[in-house]
């Protein structure tokens, strides 16, 4: 697996090198966005400054820059970094949409909506960046003036969005210690563990952070949870090198959303995502998509809300007219109905029934001599 990642990184470095003179290249787009966010941070997290008409001369051109650089991000480079993972398509699409709306709403003085959209767009950066440790790194991203009252978790997200992962870990450690309630503490703790394992790629460093947090924790239940996670980290390296097997698929299919199992579930996603780099069999890729869908469905805070459904749909299209396609269809139907809070057999929202009908055709066994209805679509 490490050999595959090294080869992939060399190939991508070559691609990036060839594109380095092109303003539409991935690294320039990422660097341009990071620069622009860096300049906008004091305004994005300050209601008065963002809505002050006197700041329009500065903010509006920066928003245009953000729109320009985000439009230059090519999803194919993201796919290359991820082993053709649908997560990047979704994240990039939603990021561009969010920035576009933020720019449009700012131009008509809908400042609050525009500001909220920019904060949401940073979340898209965080979700994609915590998917893989591969990607460009930047040397300087703490020269912005931090708005008074800015939450430590928001500051940590800025660091993640600009790929300053160690700074985000330090900020999150501070956020956990200073958290005002259990919800804030849990949110910061989960994000810290995610960055430690997925971006710093180190169970040892993550364990050290947890150890320090545990030593300062007064809540016995919370302390017990941290210690459980530290125990799960001990088997991390063994699990990380594990190949995808049928037994792993069975374990993952029983994924739980309990906080106590967060590190264990997180470790499964890392194994599955890494294996996407080398899996060639359509059937096995479909099973990986199904497993990722099950984990993210049970643990919504780990990624985009729409991601589980995307994985289930990708599974159906990757290996149609099979048992795994049917399994993914039922998981998708259940997830959709749960999302829309619908009871079985009741009227579904407009367009949802039609989408499910088309996908269901792809799960049915083919008769001899009959070609697939839609064929296997390239994701």
């Amino acid at each position: 697996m490490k050999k595959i990642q090294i080869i992939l990184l060399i190939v991508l470095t070559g691609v990036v090198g060839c594109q380095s003179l092109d303003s539409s290249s991935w690294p320039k787009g990422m660097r341009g966005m990071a620069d622009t966010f860096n300049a906008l941070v004091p305004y994005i997290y300050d209601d008065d400054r963002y809505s002050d008409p006197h700041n329009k001369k500065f903010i509006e051109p920066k928003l245009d820059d953000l729109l320009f650089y985000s439009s230059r991000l090519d999803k194919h480079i993201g796919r290359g970094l991820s082993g053709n993972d649908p997560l990047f398509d979704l994240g990039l699409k939603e990021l561009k949409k969010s920035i576009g709306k933020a720019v449009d709403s700012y131009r008509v003085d809908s400042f609050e909506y525009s500001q909220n959209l920019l904060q949401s767009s940073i979340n898209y950066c965080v979700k994609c960046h915590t998917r893989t440790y591969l990607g460009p790194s930047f040397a300087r991203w703490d020269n912005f003036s931090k708005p008074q009252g800015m939450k430590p978790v928001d500051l940590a997200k800025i660091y993640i969005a600009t790929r300053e992962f160690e700074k985000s870990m330090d900020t999150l450690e501070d956020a956990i210690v200073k958290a005002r309630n259990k919800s804030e503490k849990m949110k910061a703790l989960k994000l810290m563990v995610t960055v430690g394992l997925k971006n710093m790629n180190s169970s040892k460093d993550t364990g050290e952070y947890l150890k320090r947090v545990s030593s300062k924790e007064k809540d016995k239940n919370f302390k017990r949870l941290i210690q459980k996670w530290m125990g799960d980290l001990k088997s991390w390296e063994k699990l990380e090198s594990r190949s995808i097997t049928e037994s792993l698929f069975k374990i993952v299919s029983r994924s739980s959303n309990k906080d106590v199992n967060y590190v264990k579930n997180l470790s499964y996603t890392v194994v599955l995502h890494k294996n996407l780099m080398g899996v060639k069999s359509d059937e096995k890729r479909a099973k990986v998509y199904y497993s990722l869908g099950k984990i993210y469905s049970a643990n919504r805070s780990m990624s985009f809300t729409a991601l589980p459904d995307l994985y289930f749909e990708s599974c159906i299209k990757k290996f149609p007219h099979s048992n795994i396609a049917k399994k993914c269809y039922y998981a998708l139907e259940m997830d959709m109905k749960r999302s829309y809070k619908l009871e079985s057999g009741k009227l579904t929202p407009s367009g949802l029934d039609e989408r499910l009908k088309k996908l269901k055709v792809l799960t049915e066994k083919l008769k001899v001599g009959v070609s697939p209805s839609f064929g296997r679509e390239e994701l």
Side-chain angles (χ1 to χ4, degrees):
M1 182 53 61
K2 287 184 178 178
K3 185 177 180 181
I4 291 171
Q5 290 172 7
I6 291 169
I7 292 170
L8 176 63
L9 195 55
I10 291 170
V11 172
L12 285 172
T13 302
V15 171
V16 168
C18 292
Q19 292 182 336
S20 61
L21 297 176
D22 182 354
S23 64
S24 67
S25 69
W26 182 276
K28 283 197 173 184
M30 291 290 286
R31 187 173 290 278
M33 284 189 65
D35 256 328
T36 309
F37 268 125
N38 191 56
L40 284 171
V41 165
Y43 302 88
I44 295 174
Y45 292 94
D46 188 319
D47 297 350
D48 293 333
R49 293 185 76 181
Y50 195 79
S51 60
D52 188 342
H54 293 97
N55 291 327
K56 260 200 166 189
K57 287 183 179 180
F58 176 81
I59 294 175
E60 202 156 24
K62 291 297 180 184
L63 292 180
D64 288 335
D65 288 345
L66 207 55
L67 193 62
F68 171 80
Y69 287 119
S70 66
S71 69
R72 265 56 188 173
L73 295 179
D74 186 346
K75 68 179 182 181
H76 297 292
I77 300 294
R79 283 180 172 185
L81 285 168
S82 67
N84 205 21
D85 193 330
L87 180 150
F88 276 95
D89 281 0
L90 177 63
L92 204 51
K93 178 183 175 182
E94 294 302 319
L95 173 67
K96 291 178 179 182
K97 187 192 298 183
S98 183
I99 290 174
K101 286 184 177 178
V103 174
D104 287 343
S105 54
Y106 186 84
R107 285 175 179 153
V108 295
D109 296 344
S110 293
F111 299 121
E112 184 180 1
Y113 185 50
S114 176
Q115 186 181 11
N116 288 337
L117 285 167
L118 284 180
Q119 290 179 12
S120 295
S121 68
I122 290 170
N123 286 329
Y124 292 122
C125 296
V126 169
K127 298 299 185 184
C128 282
H129 288 184
T130 52
R131 155 60 180 83
T132 177
Y133 62 89
L134 296 174
S137 59
F138 308 121
R140 47 163 191 84
W141 294 115
D142 59 356
N143 58 336
F144 54 81
S145 56
K146 303 171 187 67
Q148 191 174 6
M150 184 180 186
K151 294 179 180 178
V153 170
D154 288 329
L155 177 59
K157 286 180 179 179
I158 293 291
Y159 285 137
I160 295 169
T162 52
R163 303 189 67 82
E164 287 292 292
F165 300 121
E166 286 191 24
K167 288 176 184 175
S168 75
M169 292 286 282
D170 293 337
T171 304
L172 288 166
E173 181 182 354
D174 186 54
I176 294 164
V177 174
K178 295 179 179 177
R180 292 171 293 181
N181 55 60
K182 186 177 179 180
S183 177
E184 278 186 12
K185 190 179 292 187
M186 181 62 73
K187 185 177 180 180
L189 185 63
K190 284 182 176 180
L191 188 54
M192 186 181 79
V193 172
T194 300
V195 173
L197 294 180
K198 287 198 169 188
N199 299 114
M200 295 179 68
N201 202 32
S202 173
S203 57
K204 184 179 178 182
D205 290 344
T206 307
E208 288 299 316
Y209 275 97
L210 286 177
K211 189 176 179 180
R212 288 199 297 270
V213 169
S214 179
S215 67
K216 300 171 186 175
E217 183 55 52
K218 296 179 181 179
D219 186 309
K220 290 183 179 179
N221 291 329
F222 215 79
K223 197 179 187 78
R224 196 177 296 120
L225 173 69
I226 295 172
Q227 290 170 347
K228 168 66 169 60
W229 286 8
M230 289 172 68
D232 289 337
L233 285 174
K234 291 179 181 179
S235 59
W236 172 255
E237 289 185 11
K238 184 178 178 182
L239 181 64
E240 187 185 23
S241 61
R242 182 173 179 176
S243 298
I244 293 182
T245 61
E246 291 301 321
S247 61
L248 181 60
F249 286 133
K250 288 178 182 177
I251 293 170
V252 170
S253 68
R254 298 191 293 270
S255 179
S256 164
N257 66 349
K258 293 180 179 178
D259 290 333
V260 71
N261 294 322
Y262 185 81
V263 169
K264 194 176 288 186
N265 288 328
L266 189 66
S267 67
Y268 294 148
T269 68
V270 173
V271 174
L272 291 164
H273 282 304
K274 282 187 176 181
N275 272 270
L276 276 177
M277 299 262 202
V279 173
K280 302 297 182 184
S281 160
D282 285 348
E283 181 178 12
K284 206 163 189 177
R285 288 187 75 86
K287 288 182 178 181
V288 173
Y289 290 147
Y290 170 75
S291 300
L292 286 168
K294 289 292 287 185
I295 293 176
Y296 287 126
S297 179
N299 300 270
R300 296 281 178 178
S301 65
M302 282 188 181
S303 199
F304 308 115
T305 304
L307 192 58
D309 292 358
L310 180 63
Y311 278 126
F312 293 139
E313 188 170 337
S314 298
C315 160
I316 296 167
K317 292 178 178 178
K318 178 55 68 177
F319 201 66
H321 310 292
S322 64
N323 288 337
I324 187 62
K326 188 168 285 189
K327 197 172 182 178
C328 286
Y329 174 81
Y330 288 133
L332 174 64
E333 185 179 53
M334 182 175 72
D335 204 58
M336 280 184 168
K337 290 183 181 295
R338 184 190 296 137
S339 297
Y340 287 106
K341 298 181 180 178
L342 300 171
E343 296 178 11
S344 181
K346 296 278 181 159
L347 185 66
T348 53
S350 175
L352 186 59
D353 271 338
E354 192 61 32
R355 180 184 171 195
L356 286 171
K357 283 177 184 177
K358 287 182 179 180
L359 289 170
K360 192 169 186 179
V361 172
L362 290 174
T363 70
E364 295 167 357
K365 295 287 185 181
L366 288 175
K367 294 179 181 179
V368 178
V370 178
S371 298
S373 304
F374 293 83
R376 293 183 184 178
E377 299 181 21
E378 183 61 34
L379 299 173

